[in-house]
Amino acid sequence: ISAMGQDPDGNGWRIGLAETSDQSPDEFVVLSDNSIATSAPLGSTFDGKTSHIIDPLSGQPVQSHWQRVSVIHKSAAYADGLSTGMVMMNHASVAAIELSEHTQIIVRAQDGRTTRMGL
């Protein structure tokens, strides 16, 4: 999602985050002149339980530490690539990421805990 400018009231655009598109958002972010991409291993599935995201090393559906990974950046393509790649990373690897300027990350672990970086 790319949010251009402000809403008609002059505020940033309110974007809801959820694991799947048929769920109600459980978290919101406000964006203005920024993009957000969210990758969720079970956001789309092959059979209701197998992730649509394929691990390039094994060729198998990813077994992720995350319910979802959201990345905020000026570039929607950058946010999309980083969010998908991060789904395959473990907690230590995500914590070690050196974020480029203007990049924000929101990760929700399988246990429901949310971590925000760069905010």
Side-chain angles (χ1 to χ4, degrees):
I1 296 173
S2 290
M4 308 288 265
Q6 283 104 21
D7 71 8
D9 295 326
N11 302 307
W13 297 95
R14 189 171 184 238
I15 309 297
L17 303 178
E19 189 174 354
T20 64
S21 61
D22 61 346
Q23 291 178 336
S24 296
D26 53 44
E27 187 171 0
F28 291 89
V29 296
V30 178
L31 298 180
S32 180
D33 295 322
N34 239 334
S35 298
I36 187 167
T38 298
S39 293
L42 299 178
S44 294
T45 62
F46 291 120
D47 58 6
K49 59 185 178 201
T50 304
S51 177
H52 71 290
I53 300 173
I54 303 300
D55 182 330
L57 296 176
S58 70
Q60 298 299 311
V62 68
Q63 298 294 315
S64 184
H65 297 270
W66 313 109
Q67 286 181 11
R68 70 168 185 260
V69 176
S70 298
V71 176
I72 299 169
H73 191 270
K74 296 277 184 204
S75 165
Y78 180 93
D80 183 47
L82 188 56
S83 69
T84 301
M86 287 182 64
V87 162
M88 293 176 249
M89 299 171 73
N90 62 30
H91 294 265
S93 296
V94 167
I97 290 177
E98 292 185 31
L99 298 176
S100 64
E101 189 174 4
H102 307 296
T103 303
Q104 301 169 16
I105 298 172
I106 305 166
V107 292
R108 174 157 293 188
Q110 291 295 348
D111 65 8
R113 286 184 292 165
T114 300
T115 302
R116 298 168 182 267
M117 299 165 40
L119 298 175

